[in-house]
Amino acid sequence: MAAKKKLIITVRVNEYAPRNKNKHIPLTPDEIAATAAECRAAGASIIHFHARNTDGSPCHKPEMYAEIVSKIRARCDILIDSTLGQITVKEDENRLAHIRLMGQKSATRPDFAAVDTGSSNIDAYDAETKSFKTLNKVYLNSTETCLFLAKGMTEAGVKPHLSVWAVPFVRMVDAFLDMGAIKEPAYVQCVLAEGGIVGAHPCTPRGLEALVDFMPANRRIEWTAACKEGNLLNVAATALARGGHLAPGIGDYPYEEIGCPTNAELVHRFAELGRAAGREPTTTDEARAMLGIART
Ligand code: ZN
């Protein structure tokens, strides 16, 4: 029997998560770089991070992003996936500013950045109080914005990874591939959500499979699963069985039920699940080959 496809583990180290639930959230460039090296050793081949100020608030300084990438590169060979600052940054050009700066030098250039291929209301519903915690959190990504970001990233030598929150986002991926705005192989991240965020599919096997079932079969796509504010272990077996990859991280969820692990401990756990399913974690070179990333 042929060996099964290897498993790409992306670790989502911090997002904008506070430290009060899991104290291991990395904030500073040195902490993020140390986490990257530990996670690489534990089986991750991609790191996704957000720049943060020392008080934990979001940092949008392009220089800070460049410093983090160069510090990660100095520590290990992990592939790097930078955020665009999600809904906390307005205006398309501002969302791309740090990508343009980082792209100027190979030492600071990330391998990926995210394009979310649609818009969603991401207010969290609280069933206890029968109300929403916020009312106007629209994660707005017009088609024009997506195409602008994809073009700017490609010009900067950064591969767009495509985040999909619902089936229409998957259909948009197909359109972007069809028009050549995104090159194959595409790297698609299925974003599931819990914690009352009803603007994405739930972190259940059916929630994930609904996205996967709509992936265009005639395209070269590698997909991964992530979950905002929920336990990704709930869909790990489904992703592994369907040939998908996994993107866990304590930035998305503190994993209190398994003792608030470090990012590396969490990666180790998902790597073991992969091995048990015959899906050995990739090296970074293997991940590069699968995702069509040139060595810089
Ligand atoms: Zn993020």
Side-chain angles (χ1 to χ4, degrees), residues 12 15 47-50 80-86 95-96 98-99 102 110-118 139 141 145-150 153 158-165 182 187-189 191 228:
R12 296 165 52 84
E15 301 299 303
I47 180 174
H48 170 73
F49 73 94
H50 291 232
I80 302 176
D81 178 19
S82 173
T83 189
L84 294 185
Q86 219 207 27
R95 290 173 80 182
L96 211 51
H98 61 304
I99 301 292
M102 290 191 285
D111 301 283
F112 305 93
V115 175
D116 295 67
T117 60
Y139 186 27
N141 297 286
T145 294
C146 293
L147 292 172
F148 172 84
L149 293 174
M153 286 175 196
V158 176
K159 185 179 178 85
H161 94 235
L162 306 169
S163 288
V164 298
W165 295 54
I182 301 286
Y187 184 39
V188 175
Q189 180 167 276
V191 179
K228 289 190 182 296

mmCIF file of all heavy atoms in Angstrom, residues 12 15 47-50 80-86 95-96 98-99 102 110-118 139 141 145-150 153 158-165 182 187-189 191 228:
data_model
loop_
_atom_site.group_PDB
_atom_site.id
_atom_site.type_symbol
_atom_site.label_atom_id
_atom_site.label_comp_id
_atom_site.label_asym_id
_atom_site.label_seq_id
_atom_site.Cartn_x
_atom_site.Cartn_y
_atom_site.Cartn_z
ATOM 1 N N ARG A 12 -0.912 28.072 15.276
ATOM 2 C CA ARG A 12 -1.467 29.427 15.368
ATOM 3 C C ARG A 12 -1.208 29.913 16.797
ATOM 4 O O ARG A 12 -2.003 29.698 17.697
ATOM 5 C CB ARG A 12 -2.951 29.375 14.993
ATOM 6 C CG ARG A 12 -3.121 28.950 13.510
ATOM 7 C CD ARG A 12 -4.543 28.532 13.180
ATOM 8 N NE ARG A 12 -5.521 29.511 13.564
ATOM 9 C CZ ARG A 12 -5.870 30.579 12.840
ATOM 10 N NH1 ARG A 12 -5.315 30.798 11.656
ATOM 11 N NH2 ARG A 12 -6.776 31.410 13.271
ATOM 12 N N GLU A 15 -2.735 34.797 17.957
ATOM 13 C CA GLU A 15 -3.900 35.633 17.608
ATOM 14 C C GLU A 15 -3.891 36.874 18.506
ATOM 15 O O GLU A 15 -2.857 37.464 18.743
ATOM 16 C CB GLU A 15 -5.203 34.835 17.733
ATOM 17 C CG GLU A 15 -5.245 33.607 16.838
ATOM 18 C CD GLU A 15 -5.150 33.934 15.351
ATOM 19 O OE1 GLU A 15 -5.964 34.697 14.850
ATOM 20 O OE2 GLU A 15 -4.229 33.432 14.685
ATOM 21 N N ILE A 47 4.249 28.445 10.973
ATOM 22 C CA ILE A 47 3.775 29.208 12.135
ATOM 23 C C ILE A 47 2.952 30.392 11.636
ATOM 24 O O ILE A 47 3.321 31.069 10.688
ATOM 25 C CB ILE A 47 4.942 29.713 13.019
ATOM 26 C CG1 ILE A 47 4.408 30.498 14.222
ATOM 27 C CG2 ILE A 47 5.933 30.567 12.230
ATOM 28 C CD1 ILE A 47 5.474 30.909 15.232
ATOM 29 N N HIS A 48 1.792 30.597 12.275
ATOM 30 C CA HIS A 48 0.974 31.784 12.020
ATOM 31 C C HIS A 48 0.982 32.631 13.292
ATOM 32 O O HIS A 48 0.738 32.136 14.379
ATOM 33 C CB HIS A 48 -0.456 31.369 11.676
ATOM 34 C CG HIS A 48 -1.420 32.516 11.635
ATOM 35 N ND1 HIS A 48 -1.430 33.435 10.615
ATOM 36 C CD2 HIS A 48 -2.389 32.916 12.502
ATOM 37 C CE1 HIS A 48 -2.373 34.336 10.855
ATOM 38 N NE2 HIS A 48 -2.959 34.056 11.997
ATOM 39 N N PHE A 49 1.295 33.921 13.125
ATOM 40 C CA PHE A 49 1.402 34.776 14.316
ATOM 41 C C PHE A 49 0.801 36.147 14.052
ATOM 42 O O PHE A 49 0.617 36.570 12.908
ATOM 43 C CB PHE A 49 2.883 34.953 14.721
ATOM 44 C CG PHE A 49 3.629 35.851 13.772
ATOM 45 C CD1 PHE A 49 3.753 37.220 14.028
ATOM 46 C CD2 PHE A 49 4.173 35.361 12.598
ATOM 47 C CE1 PHE A 49 4.408 38.062 13.137
ATOM 48 C CE2 PHE A 49 4.829 36.197 11.700
ATOM 49 C CZ PHE A 49 4.947 37.551 11.965
ATOM 50 N N HIS A 50 0.511 36.851 15.138
ATOM 51 C CA HIS A 50 0.121 38.265 15.109
ATOM 52 C C HIS A 50 1.151 39.031 15.935
ATOM 53 O O HIS A 50 1.562 38.559 16.997
ATOM 54 C CB HIS A 50 -1.252 38.475 15.753
ATOM 55 C CG HIS A 50 -2.387 37.898 14.970
ATOM 56 N ND1 HIS A 50 -3.506 38.621 14.629
ATOM 57 C CD2 HIS A 50 -2.591 36.663 14.444
ATOM 58 C CE1 HIS A 50 -4.345 37.868 13.948
ATOM 59 N NE2 HIS A 50 -3.817 36.664 13.821
ATOM 60 N N ILE A 80 6.610 30.632 7.433
ATOM 61 C CA ILE A 80 5.991 31.707 8.214
ATOM 62 C C ILE A 80 4.762 32.257 7.511
ATOM 63 O O ILE A 80 4.793 32.589 6.325
ATOM 64 C CB ILE A 80 7.013 32.840 8.467
ATOM 65 C CG1 ILE A 80 8.231 32.275 9.205
ATOM 66 C CG2 ILE A 80 6.374 33.982 9.254
ATOM 67 C CD1 ILE A 80 9.349 33.270 9.421
ATOM 68 N N ASP A 81 3.682 32.344 8.281
ATOM 69 C CA ASP A 81 2.390 32.818 7.782
ATOM 70 C C ASP A 81 1.982 34.032 8.626
ATOM 71 O O ASP A 81 1.700 33.911 9.808
ATOM 72 C CB ASP A 81 1.365 31.685 7.937
ATOM 73 C CG ASP A 81 -0.025 32.076 7.489
ATOM 74 O OD1 ASP A 81 -0.155 33.051 6.736
ATOM 75 O OD2 ASP A 81 -0.981 31.398 7.905
ATOM 76 N N SER A 82 2.011 35.196 8.000
ATOM 77 C CA SER A 82 1.732 36.436 8.734
ATOM 78 C C SER A 82 0.251 36.795 8.650
ATOM 79 O O SER A 82 -0.410 36.507 7.663
ATOM 80 C CB SER A 82 2.558 37.565 8.136
ATOM 81 O OG SER A 82 2.190 38.794 8.703
ATOM 82 N N THR A 83 -0.248 37.455 9.673
ATOM 83 C CA THR A 83 -1.626 37.949 9.617
ATOM 84 C C THR A 83 -1.670 39.278 8.869
ATOM 85 O O THR A 83 -0.651 39.928 8.641
ATOM 86 C CB THR A 83 -2.212 38.157 11.015
ATOM 87 O OG1 THR A 83 -3.607 38.434 10.885
ATOM 88 C CG2 THR A 83 -1.551 39.314 11.734
ATOM 89 N N LEU A 84 -2.882 39.686 8.519
ATOM 90 C CA LEU A 84 -3.088 41.049 8.005
ATOM 91 C C LEU A 84 -3.734 41.917 9.065
ATOM 92 O O LEU A 84 -4.129 43.043 8.803
ATOM 93 C CB LEU A 84 -3.990 41.022 6.768
ATOM 94 C CG LEU A 84 -3.428 40.345 5.531
ATOM 95 C CD1 LEU A 84 -4.381 40.519 4.371
ATOM 96 C CD2 LEU A 84 -2.075 40.927 5.170
ATOM 97 N N GLY A 85 -3.881 41.389 10.275
ATOM 98 C CA GLY A 85 -4.488 42.178 11.328
ATOM 99 C C GLY A 85 -5.996 42.056 11.396
ATOM 100 O O GLY A 85 -6.658 42.766 12.136
ATOM 101 N N GLN A 86 -6.554 41.160 10.614
ATOM 102 C CA GLN A 86 -7.982 40.851 10.642
ATOM 103 C C GLN A 86 -8.840 42.102 10.679
ATOM 104 O O GLN A 86 -8.580 43.049 9.938
ATOM 105 C CB GLN A 86 -8.267 39.929 11.833
ATOM 106 C CG GLN A 86 -9.278 38.869 11.498
ATOM 107 C CD GLN A 86 -10.022 38.427 12.737
ATOM 108 O OE1 GLN A 86 -10.175 39.154 13.705
ATOM 109 N NE2 GLN A 86 -10.538 37.216 12.700
ATOM 110 N N ARG A 95 -3.654 47.294 5.316
ATOM 111 C CA ARG A 95 -3.586 45.872 5.650
ATOM 112 C C ARG A 95 -2.374 45.219 4.998
ATOM 113 O O ARG A 95 -1.903 44.189 5.465
ATOM 114 C CB ARG A 95 -4.865 45.159 5.209
ATOM 115 C CG ARG A 95 -6.072 45.552 6.048
ATOM 116 C CD ARG A 95 -7.354 44.973 5.491
ATOM 117 N NE ARG A 95 -7.541 43.584 5.868
ATOM 118 C CZ ARG A 95 -8.579 42.853 5.454
ATOM 119 N NH1 ARG A 95 -9.494 43.381 4.664
ATOM 120 N NH2 ARG A 95 -8.714 41.601 5.823
ATOM 121 N N LEU A 96 -1.900 45.835 3.906
ATOM 122 C CA LEU A 96 -0.792 45.242 3.154
ATOM 123 C C LEU A 96 0.556 45.876 3.484
ATOM 124 O O LEU A 96 1.600 45.373 3.069
ATOM 125 C CB LEU A 96 -1.093 45.422 1.659
ATOM 126 C CG LEU A 96 -0.576 44.382 0.679
ATOM 127 C CD1 LEU A 96 -0.952 42.972 1.107
ATOM 128 C CD2 LEU A 96 -1.131 44.665 -0.705
ATOM 129 N N HIS A 98 2.647 46.069 6.005
ATOM 130 C CA HIS A 98 3.737 45.289 6.592
ATOM 131 C C HIS A 98 4.194 44.174 5.649
ATOM 132 O O HIS A 98 5.355 43.787 5.642
ATOM 133 C CB HIS A 98 3.346 44.733 7.962
ATOM 134 C CG HIS A 98 2.179 43.808 7.957
ATOM 135 N ND1 HIS A 98 0.952 44.157 7.460
ATOM 136 C CD2 HIS A 98 2.053 42.531 8.380
ATOM 137 C CE1 HIS A 98 0.123 43.132 7.599
ATOM 138 N NE2 HIS A 98 0.767 42.142 8.136
ATOM 139 N N ILE A 99 3.271 43.669 4.817
ATOM 140 C CA ILE A 99 3.655 42.637 3.846
ATOM 141 C C ILE A 99 4.637 43.240 2.831
ATOM 142 O O ILE A 99 5.645 42.633 2.478
ATOM 143 C CB ILE A 99 2.410 42.087 3.114
ATOM 144 C CG1 ILE A 99 1.415 41.492 4.116
ATOM 145 C CG2 ILE A 99 2.817 41.065 2.044
ATOM 146 C CD1 ILE A 99 1.852 40.240 4.812
ATOM 147 N N MET A 102 8.046 43.740 4.620
ATOM 148 C CA MET A 102 8.712 42.465 4.893
ATOM 149 C C MET A 102 9.204 41.813 3.602
ATOM 150 O O MET A 102 10.222 41.132 3.586
ATOM 151 C CB MET A 102 7.762 41.508 5.623
ATOM 152 C CG MET A 102 7.471 41.917 7.041
ATOM 153 S SD MET A 102 6.613 40.617 7.973
ATOM 154 C CE MET A 102 4.960 40.727 7.291
ATOM 155 N N PRO A 110 7.755 36.829 4.838
ATOM 156 C CA PRO A 110 7.026 35.623 5.228
ATOM 157 C C PRO A 110 6.729 34.774 3.988
ATOM 158 O O PRO A 110 6.804 35.265 2.866
ATOM 159 C CB PRO A 110 5.732 36.169 5.837
ATOM 160 C CG PRO A 110 5.532 37.491 5.175
ATOM 161 C CD PRO A 110 6.905 38.020 4.834
ATOM 162 N N ASP A 111 6.416 33.502 4.213
ATOM 163 C CA ASP A 111 6.085 32.619 3.096
ATOM 164 C C ASP A 111 4.627 32.773 2.688
ATOM 165 O O ASP A 111 4.296 32.638 1.512
ATOM 166 C CB ASP A 111 6.380 31.169 3.498
ATOM 167 C CG ASP A 111 7.844 30.998 3.866
ATOM 168 O OD1 ASP A 111 8.663 30.929 2.942
ATOM 169 O OD2 ASP A 111 8.164 30.990 5.071
ATOM 170 N N PHE A 112 3.753 33.033 3.670
ATOM 171 C CA PHE A 112 2.314 33.150 3.413
ATOM 172 C C PHE A 112 1.728 34.355 4.144
ATOM 173 O O PHE A 112 2.252 34.784 5.165
ATOM 174 C CB PHE A 112 1.534 31.960 3.996
ATOM 175 C CG PHE A 112 1.974 30.620 3.562
ATOM 176 C CD1 PHE A 112 2.897 29.910 4.318
ATOM 177 C CD2 PHE A 112 1.451 30.026 2.425
ATOM 178 C CE1 PHE A 112 3.289 28.643 3.944
ATOM 179 C CE2 PHE A 112 1.841 28.759 2.044
ATOM 180 C CZ PHE A 112 2.757 28.070 2.799
ATOM 181 N N ALA A 113 0.596 34.812 3.619
ATOM 182 C CA ALA A 113 -0.278 35.704 4.383
ATOM 183 C C ALA A 113 -1.711 35.345 3.987
ATOM 184 O O ALA A 113 -1.943 34.749 2.937
ATOM 185 C CB ALA A 113 0.025 37.164 4.096
ATOM 186 N N ALA A 114 -2.655 35.720 4.848
ATOM 187 C CA ALA A 114 -4.022 35.242 4.668
ATOM 188 C C ALA A 114 -4.874 36.181 3.837
ATOM 189 O O ALA A 114 -4.820 37.395 3.985
ATOM 190 C CB ALA A 114 -4.668 35.067 6.043
ATOM 191 N N VAL A 115 -5.658 35.582 2.946
ATOM 192 C CA VAL A 115 -6.754 36.293 2.298
ATOM 193 C C VAL A 115 -8.031 35.523 2.645
ATOM 194 O O VAL A 115 -8.140 34.334 2.345
ATOM 195 C CB VAL A 115 -6.580 36.333 0.762
ATOM 196 C CG1 VAL A 115 -7.797 36.979 0.110
ATOM 197 C CG2 VAL A 115 -5.320 37.091 0.381
ATOM 198 N N ASP A 116 -8.947 36.180 3.314
ATOM 199 C CA ASP A 116 -10.235 35.557 3.629
ATOM 200 C C ASP A 116 -11.168 35.852 2.469
ATOM 201 O O ASP A 116 -11.418 37.020 2.166
ATOM 202 C CB ASP A 116 -10.805 36.116 4.937
ATOM 203 C CG ASP A 116 -9.930 35.757 6.126
ATOM 204 O OD1 ASP A 116 -8.789 36.260 6.207
ATOM 205 O OD2 ASP A 116 -10.377 34.969 6.969
ATOM 206 N N THR A 117 -11.686 34.814 1.829
ATOM 207 C CA THR A 117 -12.347 35.002 0.538
ATOM 208 C C THR A 117 -13.840 35.305 0.648
ATOM 209 O O THR A 117 -14.645 34.820 -0.141
ATOM 210 C CB THR A 117 -12.125 33.764 -0.360
ATOM 211 O OG1 THR A 117 -12.689 32.625 0.298
ATOM 212 C CG2 THR A 117 -10.661 33.530 -0.615
ATOM 213 N N GLY A 118 -14.203 36.113 1.617
ATOM 214 C CA GLY A 118 -15.594 36.524 1.775
ATOM 215 C C GLY A 118 -15.754 37.301 3.060
ATOM 216 O O GLY A 118 -14.774 37.581 3.756
ATOM 217 N N TYR A 139 -16.637 41.231 9.540
ATOM 218 C CA TYR A 139 -15.324 40.988 8.943
ATOM 219 C C TYR A 139 -15.519 41.126 7.445
ATOM 220 O O TYR A 139 -15.993 40.224 6.779
ATOM 221 C CB TYR A 139 -14.810 39.608 9.331
ATOM 222 C CG TYR A 139 -13.404 39.338 8.868
ATOM 223 C CD1 TYR A 139 -12.498 40.370 8.672
ATOM 224 C CD2 TYR A 139 -12.968 38.042 8.658
ATOM 225 C CE1 TYR A 139 -11.207 40.123 8.254
ATOM 226 C CE2 TYR A 139 -11.671 37.779 8.243
ATOM 227 C CZ TYR A 139 -10.799 38.828 8.039
ATOM 228 O OH TYR A 139 -9.519 38.567 7.627
ATOM 229 N N ASN A 141 -14.567 41.646 3.656
ATOM 230 C CA ASN A 141 -13.555 41.391 2.616
ATOM 231 C C ASN A 141 -14.264 41.396 1.270
ATOM 232 O O ASN A 141 -14.788 40.366 0.828
ATOM 233 C CB ASN A 141 -12.884 40.035 2.835
ATOM 234 C CG ASN A 141 -12.121 39.975 4.154
ATOM 235 O OD1 ASN A 141 -11.059 40.558 4.302
ATOM 236 N ND2 ASN A 141 -12.686 39.283 5.128
ATOM 237 N N THR A 145 -11.163 43.810 -2.520
ATOM 238 C CA THR A 145 -10.114 43.705 -1.502
ATOM 239 C C THR A 145 -9.331 42.412 -1.658
ATOM 240 O O THR A 145 -8.094 42.409 -1.622
ATOM 241 C CB THR A 145 -10.741 43.759 -0.088
ATOM 242 O OG1 THR A 145 -11.304 45.050 0.105
ATOM 243 C CG2 THR A 145 -9.708 43.495 0.988
ATOM 244 N N CYS A 146 -10.047 41.307 -1.813
ATOM 245 C CA CYS A 146 -9.363 40.008 -1.948
ATOM 246 C C CYS A 146 -8.388 40.023 -3.126
ATOM 247 O O CYS A 146 -7.246 39.567 -3.010
ATOM 248 C CB CYS A 146 -10.375 38.882 -2.163
ATOM 249 S SG CYS A 146 -11.437 38.568 -0.754
ATOM 250 N N LEU A 147 -8.853 40.557 -4.256
ATOM 251 C CA LEU A 147 -8.002 40.573 -5.449
ATOM 252 C C LEU A 147 -6.824 41.516 -5.262
ATOM 253 O O LEU A 147 -5.697 41.226 -5.677
ATOM 254 C CB LEU A 147 -8.830 40.965 -6.683
ATOM 255 C CG LEU A 147 -9.878 39.916 -7.096
ATOM 256 C CD1 LEU A 147 -10.782 40.469 -8.192
ATOM 257 C CD2 LEU A 147 -9.214 38.628 -7.557
ATOM 258 N N PHE A 148 -7.067 42.653 -4.594
ATOM 259 C CA PHE A 148 -5.992 43.605 -4.289
ATOM 260 C C PHE A 148 -4.930 42.955 -3.398
ATOM 261 O O PHE A 148 -3.727 43.066 -3.645
ATOM 262 C CB PHE A 148 -6.594 44.837 -3.598
ATOM 263 C CG PHE A 148 -5.571 45.798 -3.062
ATOM 264 C CD1 PHE A 148 -4.994 46.752 -3.891
ATOM 265 C CD2 PHE A 148 -5.195 45.757 -1.728
ATOM 266 C CE1 PHE A 148 -4.046 47.634 -3.390
ATOM 267 C CE2 PHE A 148 -4.258 46.637 -1.226
ATOM 268 C CZ PHE A 148 -3.685 47.579 -2.060
ATOM 269 N N LEU A 149 -5.380 42.280 -2.361
ATOM 270 C CA LEU A 149 -4.447 41.645 -1.426
ATOM 271 C C LEU A 149 -3.666 40.531 -2.121
ATOM 272 O O LEU A 149 -2.447 40.412 -1.951
ATOM 273 C CB LEU A 149 -5.206 41.089 -0.217
ATOM 274 C CG LEU A 149 -5.862 42.123 0.701
ATOM 275 C CD1 LEU A 149 -6.689 41.414 1.773
ATOM 276 C CD2 LEU A 149 -4.832 43.033 1.355
ATOM 277 N N ALA A 150 -4.369 39.714 -2.900
ATOM 278 C CA ALA A 150 -3.705 38.591 -3.575
ATOM 279 C C ALA A 150 -2.621 39.109 -4.520
ATOM 280 O O ALA A 150 -1.511 38.570 -4.570
ATOM 281 C CB ALA A 150 -4.725 37.752 -4.340
ATOM 282 N N MET A 153 0.356 40.649 -2.451
ATOM 283 C CA MET A 153 1.175 39.595 -1.829
ATOM 284 C C MET A 153 2.040 38.907 -2.869
ATOM 285 O O MET A 153 3.236 38.686 -2.651
ATOM 286 C CB MET A 153 0.258 38.550 -1.181
ATOM 287 C CG MET A 153 -0.386 39.019 0.082
ATOM 288 S SD MET A 153 -1.544 37.754 0.654
ATOM 289 C CE MET A 153 -2.467 38.745 1.827
ATOM 290 N N VAL A 158 5.015 36.712 -1.549
ATOM 291 C CA VAL A 158 4.342 36.045 -0.428
ATOM 292 C C VAL A 158 3.132 35.293 -0.990
ATOM 293 O O VAL A 158 2.335 35.872 -1.730
ATOM 294 C CB VAL A 158 3.887 37.093 0.612
ATOM 295 C CG1 VAL A 158 3.103 36.441 1.736
ATOM 296 C CG2 VAL A 158 5.090 37.856 1.161
ATOM 297 N N LYS A 159 3.006 34.017 -0.649
ATOM 298 C CA LYS A 159 1.882 33.233 -1.192
ATOM 299 C C LYS A 159 0.624 33.470 -0.361
ATOM 300 O O LYS A 159 0.648 33.291 0.848
ATOM 301 C CB LYS A 159 2.229 31.738 -1.171
ATOM 302 C CG LYS A 159 1.162 30.860 -1.831
ATOM 303 C CD LYS A 159 1.569 29.386 -1.811
ATOM 304 C CE LYS A 159 0.486 28.502 -2.412
ATOM 305 N NZ LYS A 159 0.545 28.392 -3.854
ATOM 306 N N PRO A 160 -0.478 33.851 -1.004
ATOM 307 C CA PRO A 160 -1.718 34.000 -0.240
ATOM 308 C C PRO A 160 -2.229 32.636 0.219
ATOM 309 O O PRO A 160 -2.255 31.696 -0.572
ATOM 310 C CB PRO A 160 -2.704 34.605 -1.260
ATOM 311 C CG PRO A 160 -1.872 35.072 -2.405
ATOM 312 C CD PRO A 160 -0.645 34.211 -2.422
ATOM 313 N N HIS A 161 -2.557 32.505 1.489
ATOM 314 C CA HIS A 161 -3.333 31.328 1.876
ATOM 315 C C HIS A 161 -4.774 31.809 2.009
ATOM 316 O O HIS A 161 -5.030 32.947 2.390
ATOM 317 C CB HIS A 161 -2.778 30.637 3.127
ATOM 318 C CG HIS A 161 -3.385 31.044 4.426
ATOM 319 N ND1 HIS A 161 -2.648 31.513 5.474
ATOM 320 C CD2 HIS A 161 -4.670 31.036 4.872
ATOM 321 C CE1 HIS A 161 -3.457 31.799 6.483
ATOM 322 N NE2 HIS A 161 -4.674 31.528 6.156
ATOM 323 N N LEU A 162 -5.688 30.960 1.643
ATOM 324 C CA LEU A 162 -7.083 31.376 1.506
ATOM 325 C C LEU A 162 -7.896 30.823 2.665
ATOM 326 O O LEU A 162 -7.974 29.609 2.856
ATOM 327 C CB LEU A 162 -7.631 30.858 0.173
ATOM 328 C CG LEU A 162 -6.759 31.268 -1.033
ATOM 329 C CD1 LEU A 162 -7.191 30.520 -2.275
ATOM 330 C CD2 LEU A 162 -6.832 32.767 -1.254
ATOM 331 N N SER A 163 -8.479 31.715 3.458
ATOM 332 C CA SER A 163 -9.289 31.267 4.583
ATOM 333 C C SER A 163 -10.756 31.251 4.186
ATOM 334 O O SER A 163 -11.265 32.235 3.637
ATOM 335 C CB SER A 163 -9.092 32.184 5.786
ATOM 336 O OG SER A 163 -7.815 31.960 6.341
ATOM 337 N N VAL A 164 -11.410 30.129 4.455
ATOM 338 C CA VAL A 164 -12.826 29.981 4.102
ATOM 339 C C VAL A 164 -13.645 29.717 5.362
ATOM 340 O O VAL A 164 -13.310 28.874 6.173
ATOM 341 C CB VAL A 164 -13.042 28.869 3.046
ATOM 342 C CG1 VAL A 164 -12.307 29.220 1.751
ATOM 343 C CG2 VAL A 164 -12.585 27.496 3.522
ATOM 344 N N TRP A 165 -14.710 30.489 5.511
ATOM 345 C CA TRP A 165 -15.546 30.431 6.707
ATOM 346 C C TRP A 165 -16.879 29.748 6.435
ATOM 347 O O TRP A 165 -17.605 29.411 7.361
ATOM 348 C CB TRP A 165 -15.843 31.845 7.201
ATOM 349 C CG TRP A 165 -14.647 32.613 7.682
ATOM 350 C CD1 TRP A 165 -13.483 32.850 7.007
ATOM 351 C CD2 TRP A 165 -14.504 33.252 8.949
ATOM 352 N NE1 TRP A 165 -12.640 33.597 7.765
ATOM 353 C CE2 TRP A 165 -13.238 33.866 8.969
ATOM 354 C CE3 TRP A 165 -15.340 33.372 10.068
ATOM 355 C CZ2 TRP A 165 -12.781 34.592 10.067
ATOM 356 C CZ3 TRP A 165 -14.877 34.098 11.162
ATOM 357 C CH2 TRP A 165 -13.608 34.690 11.153
ATOM 358 N N ILE A 182 -5.079 33.506 -8.095
ATOM 359 C CA ILE A 182 -4.355 32.658 -7.152
ATOM 360 C C ILE A 182 -3.813 31.479 -7.945
ATOM 361 O O ILE A 182 -4.516 30.907 -8.767
ATOM 362 C CB ILE A 182 -5.298 32.123 -6.045
ATOM 363 C CG1 ILE A 182 -5.954 33.272 -5.278
ATOM 364 C CG2 ILE A 182 -4.563 31.166 -5.110
ATOM 365 C CD1 ILE A 182 -5.061 34.002 -4.324
ATOM 366 N N TYR A 187 -3.470 26.885 -1.048
ATOM 367 C CA TYR A 187 -3.481 26.472 0.359
ATOM 368 C C TYR A 187 -4.714 27.103 0.994
ATOM 369 O O TYR A 187 -4.817 28.323 1.100
ATOM 370 C CB TYR A 187 -2.200 26.945 1.041
ATOM 371 C CG TYR A 187 -2.060 26.488 2.474
ATOM 372 C CD1 TYR A 187 -2.447 25.207 2.867
ATOM 373 C CD2 TYR A 187 -1.520 27.320 3.433
ATOM 374 C CE1 TYR A 187 -2.308 24.778 4.170
ATOM 375 C CE2 TYR A 187 -1.374 26.905 4.746
ATOM 376 C CZ TYR A 187 -1.761 25.629 5.104
ATOM 377 O OH TYR A 187 -1.620 25.215 6.400
ATOM 378 N N VAL A 188 -5.679 26.269 1.357
ATOM 379 C CA VAL A 188 -6.978 26.742 1.840
ATOM 380 C C VAL A 188 -7.147 26.357 3.301
ATOM 381 O O VAL A 188 -6.978 25.187 3.669
ATOM 382 C CB VAL A 188 -8.124 26.136 0.996
ATOM 383 C CG1 VAL A 188 -9.480 26.534 1.568
ATOM 384 C CG2 VAL A 188 -8.007 26.580 -0.458
ATOM 385 N N GLN A 189 -7.483 27.329 4.125
ATOM 386 C CA GLN A 189 -7.696 27.065 5.543
ATOM 387 C C GLN A 189 -9.188 27.113 5.864
ATOM 388 O O GLN A 189 -9.831 28.144 5.677
ATOM 389 C CB GLN A 189 -6.953 28.108 6.379
ATOM 390 C CG GLN A 189 -7.117 27.912 7.873
ATOM 391 C CD GLN A 189 -6.117 28.752 8.646
ATOM 392 O OE1 GLN A 189 -4.967 28.369 8.851
ATOM 393 N NE2 GLN A 189 -6.530 29.917 9.054
ATOM 394 N N VAL A 191 -11.835 27.646 8.292
ATOM 395 C CA VAL A 191 -11.930 28.295 9.601
ATOM 396 C C VAL A 191 -13.271 27.918 10.238
ATOM 397 O O VAL A 191 -14.332 28.336 9.773
ATOM 398 C CB VAL A 191 -11.838 29.825 9.470
ATOM 399 C CG1 VAL A 191 -11.956 30.483 10.839
ATOM 400 C CG2 VAL A 191 -10.531 30.231 8.799
ATOM 401 N N LYS A 228 -11.527 28.715 15.628
ATOM 402 C CA LYS A 228 -11.515 29.848 16.541
ATOM 403 C C LYS A 228 -12.363 29.510 17.765
ATOM 404 O O LYS A 228 -13.522 29.114 17.632
ATOM 405 C CB LYS A 228 -12.097 31.083 15.859
ATOM 406 C CG LYS A 228 -11.188 31.639 14.793
ATOM 407 C CD LYS A 228 -11.687 32.987 14.305
ATOM 408 C CE LYS A 228 -10.804 33.537 13.210
ATOM 409 N NZ LYS A 228 -9.437 33.829 13.615
#
